[in-house]
Amino acid sequence: MSKKLTKRGEDYSKWYNELVVKADLAENSGVRGMMVIKPYGYAIWEKMQAELDRMFKETGHENAYFPLLIPKSYFNKEASHDDGFAKECAVVTHYRLKTSEDGKEIIVDENAKLEEELIIRPTSETIIWDSFRKWIQSYRDLPLLINQWSNVVRWEMRTRLFLRTAEFLWQEGHTAHETKNEALEEALKMQGVYADFAENFMAMPVIKGEKTENERFAGALSTYTIEALMQDGKALQAGTSHFLGQNFAKAFDVKYTTNEGKQEFVWATSWGVSTRLMGALVMTHSDDFGLVLPPKLAPIQLVIVPIYKSDEQLEAINEKVEKMMVELKAKGVSVKYDKRTTHKPGWKFAEYELKGVPLRIAIGPRDLENNTIELARRDILSKEIVSQENIAEKVKTLLEKIQDNLFNKALDFRNNLITEVDNFEEFKEVLKDKGGFISAHWDGTSETEDQIKNLTKATIRCIPLDTKDEEGICVFTGNKSSRRVLFAKAY
RNA sequence: CGGGGUGUAGCGUAGCCCGGUUAUCGCGCCACGUUUGGGACGUGGAGGCCGCAGGUUCGAAUCCUGCCACCCCGACCA
């Protein structure tokens, strides 16, 4: 079995690529930049989806589905949106293939050229707002709170499994509101939902903040973000929520009648998270032995491996384990009993470690005699012999402990990598030697941000929401600044 | 799209400069046997249009030309 992983310290990027493939999460496909999400990886995504979907519905949203293809003309109705995405759109130009003259290959039928080209959605604002126009007449139709689970295509130059793929899965929320304030509140509320999900389910601490103009979504008036920090000290934008003002309402002519009989444009938001979260999950917790999954998102929370010499022993173990399984399942633990005879225990141990299963029970002849089991934790790689009494309760408690431990560990790591810096020399040093977030004063101009980016590759990840006013001078220009922002190199 | 590199079995590779029997080795796969508390061992076996298309030659994985794909470094990005 050549499943030896590259160590994180040797080459973080290589470690990540190998881990995603070896843990059976995803692989590259025959289509440039597009991945195959394998069953184990998809199972994790499904858990994320289920939880997020529940949270969206709890906050009043409904799911709907809009077309994959968008008429090109819709696209340039909102100018900045068009600018932002035009460079990375896949375009459908024909609707039929035919056999070539020599009968050897299938070619595009030039007679089947579309009147108007169709864009494969890079995001769905335009096609959704075309529908919203028909759905919204009166203030009584508002707010309109819609979410869509879908795939989108963005023709990226350089791709990496989960982190940046030419096609990815995501959800996109699109809402319309009567007032500016209500829309702003919605955008912030959804940022909160994302932060809650990241921290309480992914066990990934995030910083809530607002994007600067440079980093803002194409077509948005403000973009709220949750920013996470990966183990190599680079930041990852994990989710965004946009306040779109009336831009799309005006572009698609979406007006409503107020209770005073006046015509007004609606106010909008959109927000999304994608399969990129899978990459974030991997890079937040995993180690040199493989994936480490937080129990709340692990498809298998506990695996049981039998150890035996004879068929009789295996049968005795089976009997014991079947009883345990009933107890465990009753407590809601997702448990797998791997009694395959085709692999040895040592092989299974290594395999489930690689796949990040939070807890493992090994049970063999010795345990049958002593009424014990061996219980192993993935997060800290510990093993202990415990009594079989109350096993479900113990497992349940441990799973919660692991979930907390992963979050706290990631939080400590993140907090240690936020450095306050007051001059540009120090800025460059910290960025080079330590990495992570740099908290520094900035004069608020795009020019300064651009120059810093060109010199250091660091960008402003966000203006943290909880930032306090503090007089200072810009780390680059020395101009006045009233608060610190967070810089980092980002994925 | 610029600069560099690589294509040989499912995966990783040797051979290529300097053309010459049946294309090397490891992992994985299949069968049988022995094994099973941290990735077992033995014996046997299957699997290749050497990226594609041309050319040079008695003879091409090897030399030449063109094309394609992928990887790395830049510009672009959730």
Side-chain angles (χ1 to χ4, degrees), chain A residues 112-151:
Chain A
K113 193 163 169 21
L114 290 170
E115 288 276 302
E116 179 180 0
E117 288 102 340
L118 298 168
I119 315 295
I120 299 176
R121 61 183 166 214
T123 177
S124 302
E125 272 78 4
T126 57
I127 191 113
I128 286 179
W129 278 85
D130 188 61
S131 282
F132 278 10
R133 182 178 56 247
K134 298 168 207 159
W135 297 0
I136 297 167
Q137 307 291 327
S138 141
Y139 73 94
R140 293 192 173 100
D141 299 322
L142 297 171
L144 181 57
L145 306 173
I146 299 296
N147 177 62
Q148 158 167 271
W149 287 98
S150 72
N151 59 340

Side-chain angles (χ1 to χ4, degrees), chain A residues 334-471:
Chain A
S334 147
V335 53
K336 173 177 172 172
Y337 179 37
D338 187 353
K339 57 178 175 186
R340 284 179 298 174
T341 53
T342 49
H343 296 281
K344 294 182 48 166
W347 189 92
K348 292 176 187 171
F349 294 169
E351 184 68 8
Y352 290 108
E353 258 158 34
L354 182 60
K355 291 194 159 186
V357 174
L359 275 181
R360 181 186 71 228
I361 285 177
I363 176 166
R366 271 198 320 249
D367 298 301
L368 287 185
E369 255 174 55
N370 305 330
N371 203 39
T372 55
I373 49 141
E374 181 190 84
L375 194 53
R377 272 173 73 165
R378 177 63 184 90
D379 60 333
I380 54 174
L381 292 166
S382 66
K383 282 198 283 201
E384 60 172 338
I385 307 291
V386 302
S387 148
Q388 289 172 17
E389 295 304 313
N390 265 331
I391 194 61
E393 202 49 52
K394 285 175 191 157
V395 163
K396 201 78 182 141
T397 310
L398 256 186
L399 288 173
E400 280 163 26
K401 221 172 179 177
I402 293 171
Q403 181 82 29
D404 289 348
N405 177 52
L406 287 176
F407 178 75
N408 289 327
K409 204 170 138 195
L411 185 63
D412 280 350
F413 176 84
R414 199 275 315 274
N415 287 344
N416 283 329
L417 281 182
I418 302 177
T419 313
E420 282 203 1
V421 151
D422 291 311
N423 65 67
F424 200 55
E425 281 312 306
E426 211 186 328
F427 185 103
K428 286 188 284 193
E429 254 167 52
V430 171
L431 196 65
K432 184 166 150 279
D433 301 335
K434 188 176 173 192
F437 290 114
I438 295 180
S439 174
H441 278 283
W442 163 64
D443 67 12
T445 67
S446 288
E447 293 72 38
T448 302
E449 193 179 350
D450 282 339
Q451 288 191 48
I452 292 175
K453 183 181 177 180
N454 289 338
L455 288 168
T456 66
K457 288 183 185 161
T459 50
I460 298 177
R461 300 322 302 155
C462 69
I463 305 160
L465 291 193
D466 62 4
T467 194
K468 42 192 186 301
D469 287 348
E470 176 192 309
E471 288 303 314

Side-chain angles (χ1 to χ4, degrees), chain A residues 56 59-62 66 125 128-129 132 135-136 141-148 171-180 182-190 241-246 248-249 254 266-271:
Chain A
F56 297 156
T59 43
H61 303 85
E62 293 179 297
F66 297 84
E125 272 78 4
I128 286 179
W129 278 85
F132 278 10
W135 297 0
I136 297 167
D141 299 322
L142 297 171
L144 181 57
L145 306 173
I146 299 296
N147 177 62
Q148 158 167 271
Q171 61 64 221
E172 43 181 329
H174 296 274
T175 68
H177 306 263
E178 276 187 77
T179 65
K180 178 179 176 180
E182 197 185 302
L184 264 171
E185 269 169 34
E186 166 77 7
L188 285 164
K189 182 200 279 175
M190 296 323 287
S241 180
H242 315 288
F243 168 61
L244 301 173
Q246 293 176 307
F248 284 93
V254 183
V266 299
W267 296 82
T269 79
S270 71
W271 28 274

Side-chain angles (χ1 to χ4, degrees), chain A residues 12-14 16-17 158-165 491:
Chain A
Y12 193 80
S13 170
K14 199 171 171 199
Y16 173 83
N17 289 334
R158 291 184 61 190
T159 58
R160 295 187 69 192
L161 293 173
F162 290 120
L163 295 174
R164 175 161 298 108
T165 47
Y491 273 95

Side-chain angles (χ1 to χ4, degrees), chain A residues 197-370:
Chain A
F197 174 75
E199 301 201 327
N200 293 317
F201 288 86
M202 296 176 69
M204 178 177 76
V206 293
I207 292 170
K208 289 193 276 185
E210 185 175 351
K211 287 291 186 187
T212 60
E213 196 184 337
N214 280 13
E215 301 279 323
R216 202 176 281 158
F217 175 75
L221 295 191
S222 41
T223 287
Y224 301 100
T225 179
I226 55 169
E227 296 285 326
L229 192 69
M230 303 295 103
Q231 293 169 348
D232 61 348
K234 283 168 83 177
L236 184 108
Q237 178 176 307
T240 47
S241 180
H242 315 288
F243 168 61
L244 301 173
Q246 293 176 307
N247 289 350
F248 284 93
K250 285 175 181 166
F252 287 87
D253 195 31
V254 183
K255 290 184 206 157
Y256 71 99
T257 309
T258 67
N259 62 355
E260 287 150 354
K262 280 196 283 188
Q263 291 278 300
E264 299 277 2
F265 286 112
V266 299
W267 296 82
T269 79
S270 71
W271 28 274
V273 294
S274 71
T275 36
R276 183 179 232 202
L277 288 180
M278 293 284 295
L281 190 68
V282 170
M283 289 199 295
T284 300
H285 305 300
S286 302
D287 61 23
D288 290 343
F289 298 95
L291 198 60
V292 176
L293 291 174
K296 285 187 186 174
L297 293 178
I300 303 165
Q301 293 175 313
L302 166 68
V303 64
I304 303 177
V305 177
I307 294 159
Y308 55 92
K309 289 200 166 64
S310 62
D311 286 353
E312 292 73 41
Q313 280 176 349
L314 178 58
E315 265 167 48
I317 292 167
N318 284 347
E319 206 176 302
K320 202 86 187 173
V321 170
E322 297 305 337
K323 278 186 206 146
M324 268 193 246
M325 302 260 290
V326 172
E327 202 189 322
L328 285 158
K329 282 179 180 163
K331 293 268 183 196
V333 176
S334 147
V335 53
K336 173 177 172 172
Y337 179 37
D338 187 353
K339 57 178 175 186
R340 284 179 298 174
T341 53
T342 49
H343 296 281
K344 294 182 48 166
W347 189 92
K348 292 176 187 171
F349 294 169
E351 184 68 8
Y352 290 108
E353 258 158 34
L354 182 60
K355 291 194 159 186
V357 174
L359 275 181
R360 181 186 71 228
I361 285 177
I363 176 166
R366 271 198 320 249
D367 298 301
L368 287 185
E369 255 174 55
N370 305 330

